[in-house]
Amino acid sequence: DGGITQSPKYLFRKEGQNVTLSCEQNLNHDAMYWYRQDPGQGLRLIYYSQIVNDFQKGDIAEGYSVSREKKESFPLTVTSAQKNPTAFYLCASSIARSARYEQYFGPGTRLTVT
Amino acid sequence: AQRVTQPEKLLSVFKGAPVELKCNYSYSGSPELFWYVQYSRQRLQLLLRHISRESIKGFTADLNKGETSFHLKKPFAQEEDSAMYYCALRSLTFGQGTILTVHP
């Protein structure tokens, strides 16, 4: 597949620990996104970045943090402040942050916090 | 505010039957609408976008601004169409998704 990768596929953490999910793309896309996918709730936007060193909060940013130091990378940290961190996390990218461009999705990371 | 509603969480049809997955949106400006599909064990991927007015895998979707809808249709469903379908508005807003099951 290539394009956009997420690692690891499965991640387990104890409650109270921060955890960082990796997202890398080699598509030369400017924009990158993080979503959370929960059954019955669809995809909800956590954060997005239009360009290096810039990012904006999405609908459910509380308890999460991101960085965009390189164009290819957009890691997501799930902090201990996130009340319900167990979920499936999807990373995506697009050519630019514009309503007309499609998004390319990674395979996802399933995080389980106990 | 932007909003996308997919009223059906689950939709079941038999092979060869017509299928329609509903999508309604709320947006005051000019909408850009997409349908994404997620097959079992595969990534979420673009199925079609309204601006292209194309038919992909037999699916079509027409933007109806009067009814603020972008329903996805296929005249004869196939078993391989079984998947999760998401309607999306302007790249950032997704609906809740509809799981389509096509029975043999």
Side-chain angles (χ1 to χ4, degrees):
Chain A
D1 266 316
I4 183 163
T5 58
Q6 292 182 245
S7 61
K9 191 173 181 180
Y10 298 98
L11 194 52
F12 298 89
R13 281 293 183 269
K14 295 286 188 186
E15 195 173 317
Q17 294 179 335
N18 291 355
V19 59
T20 297
L21 282 61
S22 167
C23 178
E24 304 277 331
Q25 54 99 359
N26 62 2
L27 300 168
N28 201 33
H29 285 173
D30 281 325
M32 296 186 75
Y33 313 80
W34 274 106
Y35 294 91
R36 173 179 169 140
Q37 188 178 31
D38 295 287
Q41 298 197 54
L43 295 180
R44 293 183 291 168
L45 181 67
I46 304 172
Y47 267 98
Y48 67 98
S49 168
Q50 300 180 68
I51 200 164
V52 174
N53 293 323
D54 179 71
F55 47 83
Q56 282 79 43
K57 292 182 179 180
D59 300 321
I60 55 165
E62 187 176 346
Y64 299 98
S65 66
V66 293
S67 63
R68 187 86 186 277
E69 296 176 3
K70 298 186 298 182
K71 189 175 185 178
E72 312 82 58
S73 179
F74 191 42
L76 173 75
T77 297
V78 185
T79 74
S80 56
Q82 167 50 232
K83 290 181 172 41
N84 297 297
T86 295
F88 189 62
Y89 291 88
L90 281 172
C91 181
S93 69
S94 63
I95 293 173
R97 166 62 191 106
S98 169
R100 68 183 60 186
Y101 296 119
E102 70 178 277
Q103 294 186 42
Y104 293 80
F105 286 85
T109 292
R110 186 166 298 282
L111 172 66
T112 303
V113 177
T114 57
Chain B
Q2 299 179 177
R3 187 176 180 88
V4 175
T5 303
Q6 293 179 249
E8 303 134 332
K9 288 187 180 179
L10 303 170
L11 185 61
S12 289
V13 299
F14 286 99
K15 178 182 173 181
V19 62
E20 180 180 58
L21 288 83
K22 291 185 167 50
C23 171
N24 289 93
Y25 67 91
S26 174
Y27 181 63
S28 56
S30 181
E32 297 275 354
L33 287 150
F34 305 81
W35 275 100
Y36 286 84
V37 60
Q38 189 171 29
Y39 300 105
S40 179
R41 295 189 173 82
Q42 293 187 31
R43 301 183 185 207
L44 190 59
Q45 59 187 290
L46 178 71
L47 179 62
L48 55 77
R49 71 191 83 188
H50 93 273
I51 198 167
S52 302
R53 302 181 68 83
E54 58 201 345
S55 173
I56 302 292
K57 299 185 178 183
F59 283 98
T60 59
D62 291 318
L63 174 61
N64 186 325
K65 291 188 178 180
E67 295 183 358
T68 59
S69 68
F70 188 55
H71 302 328
L72 183 67
K73 300 176 185 179
K74 185 169 183 176
F76 307 104
Q78 303 299 314
E79 289 178 71
E80 55 265 31
D81 296 328
S82 295
M84 168 75 90
Y85 291 82
Y86 287 101
C87 182
L89 171 65
R90 292 178 55 80
S91 299
L92 295 183
T93 305
F94 284 75
Q96 299 92 327
T98 297
I99 298 174
L100 173 65
T101 303
V102 181
H103 299 284

Short mmCIF file of all heavy atoms in Angstrom, two decimals, chain B residues 2 7 10 19-20 24 27 29 37-38 41 50 54 64-65 68 75 87 99:
data_model
loop_
_atom_site.label_atom_id
_atom_site.label_comp_id
_atom_site.label_asym_id
_atom_site.label_seq_id
_atom_site.Cartn_x
_atom_site.Cartn_y
_atom_site.Cartn_z
N GLN B 2 -21.45 23.09 10.18
CA GLN B 2 -21.55 22.01 9.22
C GLN B 2 -22.03 20.74 9.92
O GLN B 2 -21.61 20.45 11.03
CB GLN B 2 -20.18 21.72 8.61
CG GLN B 2 -19.57 22.87 7.87
CD GLN B 2 -18.20 22.52 7.31
OE1 GLN B 2 -17.60 23.34 6.63
NE2 GLN B 2 -17.70 21.33 7.57
N PRO B 7 -29.00 8.72 8.26
CA PRO B 7 -30.02 8.24 9.19
C PRO B 7 -30.01 6.74 9.46
O PRO B 7 -30.52 6.30 10.48
CB PRO B 7 -31.33 8.67 8.51
CG PRO B 7 -30.97 8.81 7.07
CD PRO B 7 -29.55 9.25 7.03
N LEU B 10 -27.59 0.78 9.83
CA LEU B 10 -27.51 -0.53 9.18
C LEU B 10 -28.50 -0.57 8.03
O LEU B 10 -29.62 -0.08 8.15
CB LEU B 10 -27.85 -1.66 10.17
CG LEU B 10 -27.02 -1.75 11.44
CD1 LEU B 10 -27.65 -2.75 12.41
CD2 LEU B 10 -25.60 -2.21 11.11
N VAL B 19 -30.21 -0.28 -4.11
CA VAL B 19 -29.82 0.19 -2.79
C VAL B 19 -29.64 1.70 -2.82
O VAL B 19 -29.17 2.27 -3.82
CB VAL B 19 -28.52 -0.51 -2.31
CG1 VAL B 19 -27.35 -0.20 -3.22
CG2 VAL B 19 -28.20 -0.13 -0.88
N GLU B 20 -30.06 2.33 -1.73
CA GLU B 20 -29.88 3.78 -1.59
C GLU B 20 -29.42 4.07 -0.16
O GLU B 20 -30.10 3.72 0.80
CB GLU B 20 -31.18 4.53 -1.87
CG GLU B 20 -31.03 6.04 -1.73
CD GLU B 20 -32.32 6.79 -2.02
OE1 GLU B 20 -33.33 6.50 -1.34
OE2 GLU B 20 -32.30 7.66 -2.91
N ASN B 24 -27.81 13.49 4.35
CA ASN B 24 -28.31 14.85 4.38
C ASN B 24 -27.26 15.73 5.03
O ASN B 24 -26.60 15.31 5.97
CB ASN B 24 -29.63 14.93 5.14
CG ASN B 24 -30.76 14.30 4.37
OD1 ASN B 24 -31.06 13.12 4.55
ND2 ASN B 24 -31.37 15.07 3.49
N TYR B 27 -25.25 23.07 5.60
CA TYR B 27 -24.12 23.97 5.32
C TYR B 27 -24.66 25.15 4.56
O TYR B 27 -25.39 24.99 3.58
CB TYR B 27 -23.03 23.25 4.53
CG TYR B 27 -21.83 24.12 4.24
CD1 TYR B 27 -21.04 24.61 5.27
CD2 TYR B 27 -21.49 24.46 2.94
CE1 TYR B 27 -19.95 25.42 5.02
CE2 TYR B 27 -20.39 25.26 2.68
CZ TYR B 27 -19.62 25.74 3.72
OH TYR B 27 -18.54 26.53 3.47
N GLY B 29 -22.98 27.45 2.79
CA GLY B 29 -22.28 27.82 1.56
C GLY B 29 -22.42 26.77 0.49
O GLY B 29 -23.31 25.93 0.52
N VAL B 37 -15.73 4.74 1.40
CA VAL B 37 -16.12 3.37 1.68
C VAL B 37 -14.99 2.64 2.40
O VAL B 37 -13.81 2.89 2.16
CB VAL B 37 -16.51 2.62 0.38
CG1 VAL B 37 -15.35 2.56 -0.59
CG2 VAL B 37 -17.03 1.22 0.68
N GLN B 38 -15.37 1.78 3.33
CA GLN B 38 -14.40 0.98 4.07
C GLN B 38 -14.83 -0.48 3.99
O GLN B 38 -15.77 -0.90 4.68
CB GLN B 38 -14.32 1.45 5.52
CG GLN B 38 -13.19 0.84 6.31
CD GLN B 38 -13.04 1.50 7.67
OE1 GLN B 38 -14.00 2.02 8.26
NE2 GLN B 38 -11.83 1.50 8.20
N ARG B 41 -11.35 -5.12 6.52
CA ARG B 41 -9.90 -5.25 6.55
C ARG B 41 -9.18 -4.37 5.53
O ARG B 41 -8.02 -4.64 5.20
CB ARG B 41 -9.46 -6.70 6.40
CG ARG B 41 -9.89 -7.59 7.55
CD ARG B 41 -9.25 -8.96 7.45
NE ARG B 41 -9.52 -9.76 8.63
CZ ARG B 41 -10.64 -10.44 8.83
NH1 ARG B 41 -11.58 -10.43 7.92
NH2 ARG B 41 -10.81 -11.13 9.95
N HIS B 50 -19.03 14.60 -5.50
CA HIS B 50 -20.14 15.14 -6.28
C HIS B 50 -19.64 15.97 -7.46
O HIS B 50 -20.26 15.99 -8.51
CB HIS B 50 -21.06 15.99 -5.40
CG HIS B 50 -20.73 17.45 -5.37
ND1 HIS B 50 -19.82 17.98 -4.49
CD2 HIS B 50 -21.18 18.47 -6.13
CE1 HIS B 50 -19.74 19.28 -4.70
NE2 HIS B 50 -20.55 19.61 -5.69
N GLU B 54 -19.38 11.30 -11.41
CA GLU B 54 -18.97 10.04 -12.01
C GLU B 54 -19.72 8.88 -11.38
O GLU B 54 -20.37 9.01 -10.36
CB GLU B 54 -17.47 9.84 -11.79
CG GLU B 54 -17.08 9.86 -10.32
CD GLU B 54 -15.60 10.16 -10.09
OE1 GLU B 54 -14.80 10.08 -11.04
OE2 GLU B 54 -15.25 10.47 -8.94
N ASN B 64 -28.56 17.26 -4.33
CA ASN B 64 -29.84 17.94 -4.39
C ASN B 64 -29.79 19.08 -3.39
O ASN B 64 -30.00 18.89 -2.19
CB ASN B 64 -30.98 16.96 -4.06
CG ASN B 64 -32.35 17.57 -4.24
OD1 ASN B 64 -32.54 18.76 -3.97
ND2 ASN B 64 -33.30 16.77 -4.69
N LYS B 65 -29.52 20.27 -3.88
CA LYS B 65 -29.37 21.42 -2.98
C LYS B 65 -30.69 21.80 -2.32
O LYS B 65 -30.72 22.28 -1.20
CB LYS B 65 -28.77 22.61 -3.74
CG LYS B 65 -27.32 22.40 -4.14
CD LYS B 65 -26.72 23.67 -4.71
CE LYS B 65 -25.25 23.46 -5.05
NZ LYS B 65 -24.62 24.68 -5.61
N THR B 68 -30.99 19.39 0.35
CA THR B 68 -29.69 19.25 1.03
C THR B 68 -29.35 17.78 1.24
O THR B 68 -29.09 17.32 2.35
CB THR B 68 -29.65 20.01 2.38
OG1 THR B 68 -30.67 19.52 3.25
CG2 THR B 68 -29.82 21.50 2.15
N PRO B 75 -28.28 0.54 -8.74
CA PRO B 75 -29.51 -0.15 -9.17
C PRO B 75 -29.53 -1.64 -8.83
O PRO B 75 -30.59 -2.19 -8.55
CB PRO B 75 -29.53 0.09 -10.68
CG PRO B 75 -28.13 0.43 -11.06
CD PRO B 75 -27.51 1.07 -9.87
N CYS B 87 -20.57 9.44 4.37
CA CYS B 87 -20.76 10.65 3.60
C CYS B 87 -19.96 11.76 4.28
O CYS B 87 -19.92 11.82 5.52
CB CYS B 87 -22.26 10.99 3.60
SG CYS B 87 -22.72 12.44 2.66
N ILE B 99 -23.62 0.87 7.63
CA ILE B 99 -23.08 -0.46 7.30
C ILE B 99 -24.05 -1.12 6.35
O ILE B 99 -25.21 -1.37 6.70
CB ILE B 99 -22.91 -1.32 8.56
CG1 ILE B 99 -21.91 -0.67 9.52
CG2 ILE B 99 -22.43 -2.72 8.17
CD1 ILE B 99 -21.79 -1.38 10.86
#
